[in-house]
Amino acid sequence: MGYDYLKLCNDIKDLTNKYKSLDVFHIGKSVMGRSIYCIRVGMGKRKIFIGGAYHGLEYLTSLFLIRFIDEYMFRIINKWWFAGFNTEDIFKDVTMFIVPMVNPDGVDIATNGLDLLNIHHRNLIDTVGIHDFRHVWQANARGVDLNHNYDANWKMTVPSPSPTKYGGENPESECETQAIVNFIRKTDFDMLLAFHSQGKEIYYSFDGTNEKKAFLAAQKLADISGYTLIRPTGSDSYGGCKDWFIKEFGKLGFTIEIGKGKNPLPISMIDDVFLDNARIILCASEIIS
Ligand SMILES: [Zn+2]
Protein backbone atom coordinates (compact mmCIF):
# COMPACT_ATOMS: atom_id res chain seq x y z
CA MET A 1 0.00 0.00 0.00
CA GLY A 2 1.30 3.42 -0.94
CA TYR A 3 0.35 6.97 -0.01
CA ASP A 4 -1.83 8.26 -2.82
CA TYR A 5 -3.57 11.55 -3.66
CA LEU A 6 -6.80 10.54 -1.92
CA LYS A 7 -4.95 9.87 1.33
CA LEU A 8 -3.15 13.19 0.96
CA CYS A 9 -6.46 15.07 0.50
CA ASN A 10 -7.95 13.37 3.59
CA ASP A 11 -4.87 14.15 5.67
CA ILE A 12 -4.88 17.81 4.57
CA LYS A 13 -8.55 18.03 5.62
CA ASP A 14 -7.71 16.53 9.03
CA LEU A 15 -4.79 18.95 9.49
CA THR A 16 -6.91 22.01 8.74
CA ASN A 17 -9.60 20.82 11.17
CA LYS A 18 -6.99 20.31 13.85
CA TYR A 19 -4.96 23.50 13.32
CA LYS A 20 -7.14 26.45 12.35
CA SER A 21 -4.19 28.74 11.55
CA LEU A 22 -3.02 26.59 8.62
CA ASP A 23 -3.73 28.12 5.24
CA VAL A 24 -4.29 25.65 2.38
CA PHE A 25 -4.58 26.70 -1.25
CA HIS A 26 -3.74 25.23 -4.63
CA ILE A 27 -1.05 26.56 -6.93
CA GLY A 28 -2.21 24.82 -10.11
CA LYS A 29 -3.52 21.59 -11.56
CA SER A 30 -1.92 18.38 -12.79
CA VAL A 31 -2.38 17.02 -16.34
CA MET A 32 -5.38 15.03 -15.07
CA GLY A 33 -6.88 18.01 -13.26
CA ARG A 34 -5.84 17.23 -9.69
CA SER A 35 -5.16 20.23 -7.46
CA ILE A 36 -1.53 20.75 -6.45
CA TYR A 37 -1.91 21.78 -2.82
CA CYS A 38 0.26 24.15 -0.84
CA ILE A 39 0.09 24.49 2.94
CA ARG A 40 1.35 27.71 4.52
CA VAL A 41 2.84 27.26 8.00
CA GLY A 42 4.30 30.06 10.13
CA MET A 43 4.20 33.85 10.30
CA GLY A 44 7.71 35.02 9.49
CA LYS A 45 9.12 37.36 6.87
CA ARG A 46 11.61 34.72 5.73
CA LYS A 47 10.14 32.23 3.30
CA ILE A 48 11.10 28.67 2.46
CA PHE A 49 9.60 26.53 -0.32
CA ILE A 50 9.39 22.82 0.46
CA GLY A 51 8.26 20.30 -2.18
CA GLY A 52 7.72 16.53 -2.12
CA ALA A 53 6.79 13.71 -4.52
CA TYR A 54 8.17 15.22 -7.71
CA HIS A 55 8.46 11.54 -8.67
CA GLY A 56 5.69 8.93 -8.63
CA LEU A 57 7.48 6.28 -6.60
CA GLU A 58 8.61 8.80 -3.97
CA TYR A 59 5.32 9.26 -2.08
CA LEU A 60 7.00 8.61 1.27
CA THR A 61 8.18 12.24 0.98
CA SER A 62 4.50 13.38 0.91
CA LEU A 63 3.65 11.39 4.01
CA PHE A 64 6.77 12.79 5.70
CA LEU A 65 5.80 16.41 4.95
CA ILE A 66 2.22 15.91 6.19
CA ARG A 67 3.48 14.32 9.39
CA PHE A 68 6.07 17.09 9.78
CA ILE A 69 3.31 19.75 9.66
CA ASP A 70 1.28 17.83 12.24
CA GLU A 71 4.14 17.38 14.71
CA TYR A 72 5.48 20.92 14.22
CA MET A 73 2.05 22.52 14.80
CA PHE A 74 1.44 20.31 17.83
CA ARG A 75 4.62 21.68 19.39
CA ILE A 76 3.80 25.27 18.42
CA ILE A 77 0.45 25.03 20.21
CA ASN A 78 2.02 23.46 23.30
CA LYS A 79 5.06 25.77 23.20
CA TRP A 80 7.43 22.82 23.10
CA TRP A 81 10.80 22.62 21.41
CA PHE A 82 11.14 20.11 18.56
CA ALA A 83 14.25 17.94 18.14
CA GLY A 84 16.40 20.57 19.85
CA PHE A 85 14.94 23.52 17.93
CA ASN A 86 13.01 26.49 19.32
CA THR A 87 9.74 26.16 17.39
CA GLU A 88 8.30 29.46 18.64
CA ASP A 89 11.22 31.43 17.19
CA ILE A 90 11.12 29.55 13.89
CA PHE A 91 7.33 30.02 13.61
CA LYS A 92 7.72 33.75 14.24
CA ASP A 93 10.64 34.23 11.81
CA VAL A 94 9.93 31.81 8.95
CA THR A 95 6.92 30.98 6.79
CA MET A 96 7.05 27.52 5.22
CA PHE A 97 5.17 26.93 1.97
CA ILE A 98 4.87 23.16 1.74
CA VAL A 99 3.73 21.41 -1.47
CA PRO A 100 3.60 17.78 -0.34
CA MET A 101 2.74 16.24 -3.71
CA VAL A 102 4.09 18.04 -6.79
CA ASN A 103 3.18 15.08 -9.04
CA PRO A 104 -0.22 13.69 -7.96
CA ASP A 105 -0.89 11.87 -11.27
CA GLY A 106 2.49 10.10 -11.15
CA VAL A 107 1.95 9.04 -7.55
CA ASP A 108 -1.48 7.72 -8.50
CA ILE A 109 -0.01 5.60 -11.33
CA ALA A 110 2.77 4.33 -9.04
CA THR A 111 0.34 3.41 -6.25
CA ASN A 112 -2.87 2.38 -8.02
CA GLY A 113 -1.63 1.29 -11.45
CA LEU A 114 -3.28 1.98 -14.80
CA ASP A 115 -6.95 2.58 -15.46
CA LEU A 116 -7.73 1.40 -18.99
CA LEU A 117 -10.82 3.62 -19.13
CA ASN A 118 -8.62 6.66 -18.68
CA ILE A 119 -7.54 8.37 -21.92
CA HIS A 120 -4.26 9.65 -20.43
CA HIS A 121 -3.33 6.17 -19.24
CA ARG A 122 -4.23 4.62 -22.61
CA ASN A 123 -2.02 7.19 -24.35
CA LEU A 124 0.83 6.27 -22.01
CA ILE A 125 0.55 2.59 -22.91
CA ASP A 126 0.77 3.59 -26.61
CA THR A 127 3.72 5.97 -26.25
CA VAL A 128 5.74 4.17 -23.58
CA GLY A 129 4.92 0.66 -24.76
CA ILE A 130 4.68 -1.12 -21.44
CA HIS A 131 1.66 -2.20 -19.41
CA ASP A 132 2.69 -2.43 -15.78
CA PHE A 133 3.86 0.91 -14.46
CA ARG A 134 3.50 0.37 -10.73
CA HIS A 135 7.10 -0.34 -9.77
CA VAL A 136 8.76 1.95 -12.29
CA TRP A 137 6.64 5.10 -12.68
CA GLN A 138 8.37 8.38 -11.77
CA ALA A 139 6.98 10.72 -14.45
CA ASN A 140 3.71 12.66 -14.76
CA ALA A 141 0.65 11.52 -16.77
CA ARG A 142 2.34 12.53 -20.06
CA GLY A 143 5.47 10.50 -19.38
CA VAL A 144 7.57 13.59 -18.51
CA ASP A 145 9.98 13.43 -15.58
CA LEU A 146 9.11 16.59 -13.64
CA ASN A 147 12.57 16.88 -12.15
CA HIS A 148 14.11 17.07 -15.63
CA ASN A 149 11.63 19.64 -16.94
CA TYR A 150 13.04 22.82 -15.35
CA ASP A 151 14.89 25.52 -17.25
CA ALA A 152 18.41 24.95 -15.88
CA ASN A 153 20.81 23.68 -18.55
CA TRP A 154 17.81 21.66 -19.78
CA LYS A 155 18.62 18.94 -22.27
CA MET A 156 17.10 15.76 -23.65
CA THR A 157 18.34 12.84 -21.60
CA VAL A 158 15.78 10.40 -23.00
CA PRO A 159 14.16 11.10 -26.44
CA SER A 160 10.49 10.28 -25.75
CA PRO A 161 7.89 9.79 -22.97
CA SER A 162 9.14 7.29 -20.47
CA PRO A 163 8.62 6.16 -16.85
CA THR A 164 11.70 8.21 -15.89
CA LYS A 165 14.24 10.82 -17.13
CA TYR A 166 12.34 12.23 -20.17
CA GLY A 167 12.58 16.02 -19.76
CA GLY A 168 9.67 16.96 -22.06
CA GLU A 169 9.55 18.78 -25.43
CA ASN A 170 11.00 21.90 -23.83
CA PRO A 171 11.66 23.30 -20.35
CA GLU A 172 8.49 24.05 -18.34
CA SER A 173 6.36 22.16 -20.89
CA GLU A 174 4.34 20.51 -18.08
CA CYS A 175 1.54 22.14 -16.11
CA GLU A 176 2.92 20.77 -12.82
CA THR A 177 6.28 22.48 -13.49
CA GLN A 178 4.50 25.70 -14.54
CA ALA A 179 2.50 25.66 -11.29
CA ILE A 180 5.71 25.48 -9.24
CA VAL A 181 7.74 28.07 -11.16
CA ASN A 182 4.85 30.56 -11.39
CA PHE A 183 4.24 30.28 -7.66
CA ILE A 184 7.93 30.62 -6.80
CA ARG A 185 8.38 33.59 -9.16
CA LYS A 186 5.65 35.60 -7.43
CA THR A 187 6.82 34.75 -3.89
CA ASP A 188 10.17 35.99 -2.63
CA PHE A 189 11.69 32.76 -1.30
CA ASP A 190 14.94 32.64 0.69
CA MET A 191 15.49 28.91 0.27
CA LEU A 192 14.11 25.82 -1.47
CA LEU A 193 14.10 22.21 -0.25
CA ALA A 194 13.09 19.52 -2.76
CA PHE A 195 12.40 16.15 -1.13
CA HIS A 196 13.04 12.94 -3.07
CA SER A 197 13.89 9.34 -2.19
CA GLN A 198 16.21 7.58 -1.74
CA GLY A 199 19.88 7.52 -0.53
CA LYS A 200 20.12 9.59 2.70
CA GLU A 201 21.84 12.31 0.70
CA ILE A 202 21.82 16.08 0.30
CA TYR A 203 22.57 17.59 -3.12
CA TYR A 204 23.71 21.14 -2.77
CA SER A 205 24.94 22.95 -5.85
CA PHE A 206 24.20 24.05 -9.40
CA ASP A 207 26.84 25.20 -11.87
CA GLY A 208 29.10 26.61 -9.16
CA THR A 209 26.63 29.37 -8.14
CA ASN A 210 27.40 30.66 -4.61
CA GLU A 211 29.22 27.39 -4.09
CA LYS A 212 30.94 28.25 -0.81
CA LYS A 213 27.80 29.58 0.89
CA ALA A 214 25.82 26.58 -0.36
CA PHE A 215 28.44 24.15 0.89
CA LEU A 216 28.51 25.68 4.38
CA ALA A 217 24.71 25.58 4.71
CA ALA A 218 24.56 22.04 3.29
CA GLN A 219 27.21 20.94 5.75
CA LYS A 220 24.97 22.08 8.63
CA LEU A 221 22.05 20.09 7.21
CA ALA A 222 24.31 17.05 6.81
CA ASP A 223 25.65 17.35 10.37
CA ILE A 224 22.17 17.58 11.89
CA SER A 225 20.77 14.62 9.91
CA GLY A 226 23.73 12.31 9.36
CA TYR A 227 22.98 12.46 5.61
CA THR A 228 25.81 12.50 3.05
CA LEU A 229 26.66 15.64 1.07
CA ILE A 230 26.77 15.21 -2.69
CA ARG A 231 27.82 17.65 -5.37
CA PRO A 232 25.67 16.57 -8.34
CA THR A 233 27.15 15.24 -11.58
CA GLY A 234 25.71 13.71 -14.78
CA SER A 235 21.92 13.71 -15.22
CA ASP A 236 21.52 14.69 -11.56
CA SER A 237 23.17 18.03 -12.24
CA TYR A 238 20.62 19.87 -14.47
CA GLY A 239 16.93 20.35 -15.23
CA GLY A 240 15.81 19.88 -11.62
CA CYS A 241 13.72 22.13 -9.42
CA LYS A 242 16.56 23.08 -7.08
CA ASP A 243 18.88 23.65 -10.08
CA TRP A 244 16.40 26.13 -11.58
CA PHE A 245 15.83 27.85 -8.22
CA ILE A 246 19.58 28.38 -7.71
CA LYS A 247 20.08 29.50 -11.31
CA GLU A 248 17.13 31.90 -11.35
CA PHE A 249 17.50 33.50 -7.91
CA GLY A 250 21.06 32.75 -6.74
CA LYS A 251 19.69 31.55 -3.40
CA LEU A 252 20.14 28.37 -1.41
CA GLY A 253 18.43 25.26 -2.84
CA PHE A 254 18.86 21.64 -1.78
CA THR A 255 17.62 18.25 -2.90
CA ILE A 256 17.13 15.87 0.01
CA GLU A 257 17.04 12.14 -0.74
CA ILE A 258 15.21 10.61 2.24
CA GLY A 259 15.69 7.04 3.47
CA LYS A 260 17.63 4.18 2.00
CA GLY A 261 16.45 1.18 0.00
CA LYS A 262 14.67 0.52 -3.27
CA ASN A 263 11.90 2.89 -4.42
CA PRO A 264 9.10 2.91 -3.53
CA LEU A 265 10.31 2.96 0.06
CA PRO A 266 7.67 1.27 2.24
CA ILE A 267 5.29 3.47 4.22
CA SER A 268 6.50 1.64 7.34
CA MET A 269 9.84 3.45 6.88
CA ILE A 270 8.27 6.77 7.96
CA ASP A 271 9.47 6.42 11.58
CA ASP A 272 12.99 5.72 10.36
CA VAL A 273 13.18 8.85 8.17
CA PHE A 274 11.09 11.25 10.22
CA LEU A 275 13.41 12.81 12.77
CA ASP A 276 16.46 13.25 10.52
CA ASN A 277 14.39 15.08 7.92
CA ALA A 278 12.40 17.12 10.45
CA ARG A 279 15.78 18.35 11.72
CA ILE A 280 16.76 19.26 8.15
CA ILE A 281 13.67 21.48 7.75
CA LEU A 282 14.11 23.09 11.17
CA CYS A 283 17.84 23.67 10.65
CA ALA A 284 17.23 25.09 7.15
CA SER A 285 14.68 27.47 8.67
CA GLU A 286 17.20 28.62 11.27
CA ILE A 287 19.81 29.23 8.55
CA ILE A 288 17.54 31.78 6.79
CA SER A 289 16.09 33.38 9.93
ZN1 LIG B 1 13.09 11.92 -7.16
Side-chain angles (χ1 to χ4, degrees):
M1 282 295 281
Y3 185 80
D4 64 7
Y5 183 69
L6 194 62
K7 287 188 176 134
L8 175 84
C9 292
N10 287 333
D11 282 351
I12 290 176
K13 220 176 281 168
D14 288 348
L15 279 179
T16 50
N17 285 333
K18 211 162 152 186
Y19 308 110
K20 300 293 178 200
S21 73
L22 288 178
D23 180 25
V24 179
F25 52 98
H26 68 94
I27 59 170
K29 300 257 183 191
S30 69
V31 170
M32 290 175 59
R34 294 182 170 101
S35 292
I36 300 171
Y37 286 106
C38 181
I39 303 153
R40 186 173 59 82
V41 191
M43 299 174 15
K45 283 199 182 108
R46 297 299 192 167
K47 299 189 192 82
I48 182 166
F49 178 90
I50 303 173
Y54 292 79
H55 287 138
L57 296 171
E58 302 174 10
Y59 44 75
L60 188 67
T61 57
S62 307
L63 177 61
F64 159 68
L65 290 171
I66 290 296
R67 182 158 158 200
F68 172 80
I69 296 168
D70 193 8
E71 302 231 1
Y72 180 58
M73 289 306 297
F74 181 77
R75 284 160 178 84
I76 292 292
I77 282 171
N78 290 290
K79 300 187 188 306
W80 290 351
W81 285 42
F82 187 4
F85 289 87
N86 183 331
T87 51
E88 257 186 300
D89 280 355
I90 292 173
F91 195 81
K92 184 166 54 68
D93 293 338
V94 177
T95 305
M96 301 171 185
F97 292 83
I98 300 177
V99 177
M101 198 176 277
V102 171
N103 181 13
D105 297 347
V107 169
D108 187 60
I109 292 170
T111 50
N112 298 320
L114 290 175
D115 172 6
L116 292 178
L117 297 175
N118 184 301
I119 182 73
H120 298 283
H121 288 189
R122 283 209 305 275
N123 286 341
L124 283 178
I125 293 172
D126 289 345
T127 50
V128 179
I130 56 173
H131 292 83
D132 189 5
F133 292 177
R134 258 173 305 183
H135 300 291
V136 293
W137 200 261
Q138 295 281 50
N140 73 351
R142 287 179 3 107
V144 177
D145 188 319
L146 295 179
N147 214 41
H148 284 281
N149 190 232
Y150 288 83
D151 191 5
N153 292 354
W154 179 92
K155 58 189 98 165
M156 284 240 183
T157 311
V158 168
S160 59
S162 158
T164 181
K165 300 238 191 275
Y166 171 58
E169 290 128 33
N170 48 270
E172 296 178 20
S173 58
E174 302 310 294
C175 49
E176 295 90 347
T177 312
Q178 290 160 17
I180 300 293
V181 297
N182 290 340
F183 177 61
I184 292 178
R185 280 185 182 125
K186 66 181 187 198
T187 316
D188 185 19
F189 285 106
D190 299 285
M191 191 191 280
L192 176 141
L193 297 180
F195 279 92
H196 290 254
S197 67
Q198 50 80 42
K200 294 197 171 184
E201 293 159 342
I202 299 168
Y203 289 77
Y204 70 92
S205 90
F206 175 71
D207 234 11
T209 309
N210 287 336
E211 185 98 10
K212 194 168 174 205
K213 192 178 166 201
F215 175 77
L216 290 173
Q219 188 68 60
K220 286 185 187 168
L221 303 181
D223 287 346
I224 203 84
S225 60
Y227 278 25
T228 307
L229 269 195
I230 309 259
R231 197 178 178 285
T233 53
S235 71
D236 289 337
S237 63
Y238 55 85
C241 186
K242 81 116 176 53
D243 304 325
W244 168 79
F245 182 75
I246 297 169
K247 186 204 95 174
E248 189 103 342
F249 306 102
K251 302 216 175 129
L252 294 169
F254 303 101
T255 295
I256 318 293
E257 296 280 357
I258 76 168
K260 210 156 198 169
K262 188 178 174 343
N263 281 325
L265 297 179
I267 291 305
S268 59
M269 204 181 266
I270 186 67
D271 290 333
D272 180 56
V273 303
F274 183 73
L275 211 50
D276 293 341
N277 289 286
R279 286 195 184 105
I280 287 176
I281 295 179
L282 296 165
C283 180
S285 300
E286 272 197 356
I287 289 170
I288 58 167
S289 65

